[in-house]
Amino acid sequence: MNKSTLARSLFFLGAIACIQIPAAVSQPATRSGYETINVKQFVADRKITVSNPKDIAAKLFILDRESEGRKSDGILVEYPARDTAAILHTVVGLADDSVAGMRHRIELRFRQNKWEIVWIGRQSKCQPNRGHQNWAAGRCL
């Protein structure tokens, strides 16, 4: 391999790493910065009857049909360990004069041959001049 090919390969490898790292860093890995939500109320409000993490994610995505002002929405399901899962549901561009985006983190644990939701947190991002501009637990004005 000559120097030119090596230099190009290293450049592209570095560029790919730079693209991937911010995406990974921007995803919250813990409960820090989230407002805790009552699990039973959340499940009842959304009529969640499934327990598999991917099925819960699909149900949340289907329930979220309001699209006015919507810029993006997404669901990420992670399995940090064999018996744990985390769902990150993010919606940006809400039709709301104070809240620009909402994000929920749903943590599950596999116990006695079934998945159960053990914790749910919420973050919001406010519209300009209506409060915090980054993902945070606080309410928007």
Side-chain angles (χ1 to χ4, degrees):
M1 181 179 290
N2 65 33
K3 287 183 182 182
S4 175
T5 304
L6 180 60
R8 269 187 270 142
S9 297
L10 289 174
F11 171 78
F12 287 118
L13 181 61
I16 290 170
C18 289
I19 291 168
Q20 297 299 320
I21 290 171
V25 170
S26 68
Q27 301 300 328
T30 65
R31 297 175 181 181
S32 170
Y34 283 85
E35 170 188 359
T36 299
I37 297 176
N38 181 293
V39 171
K40 289 181 181 180
Q41 188 67 45
F42 184 88
V43 169
D45 288 348
R46 287 160 181 82
K47 298 179 176 108
I48 296 173
T49 57
V50 295
S51 65
N52 178 296
K54 289 183 181 179
D55 292 340
I56 292 171
K59 176 84 171 178
L60 291 172
F61 199 75
I62 290 168
L63 288 173
D64 189 25
R65 294 186 178 201
E66 176 63 44
S67 62
E68 183 181 344
R70 186 67 42 93
K71 292 181 182 175
S72 68
D73 52 15
I75 293 186
L76 173 67
V77 180
E78 297 178 315
Y79 296 87
R82 193 181 67 144
D83 63 343
T84 61
I87 301 169
L88 189 64
H89 180 216
T90 306
V91 178
V92 177
L94 298 173
D96 189 293
D97 64 344
S98 60
V99 181
M102 187 68 65
R103 176 159 62 188
H104 289 95
R105 179 179 175 83
I106 303 164
E107 295 180 0
L108 300 98
R109 182 163 292 131
F110 194 74
R111 293 183 188 155
Q112 299 174 352
N113 293 324
K114 66 177 184 171
W115 286 99
E116 63 181 26
I117 298 173
V118 295
W119 184 84
I120 301 176
R122 172 177 50 216
Q123 290 180 324
S124 61
K125 187 184 280 192
C126 302
Q127 297 285 6
N129 302 316
R130 299 303 300 260
H132 53 87
Q133 298 299 294
N134 296 316
W135 293 109
R139 299 291 179 155
C140 300
L141 308 172

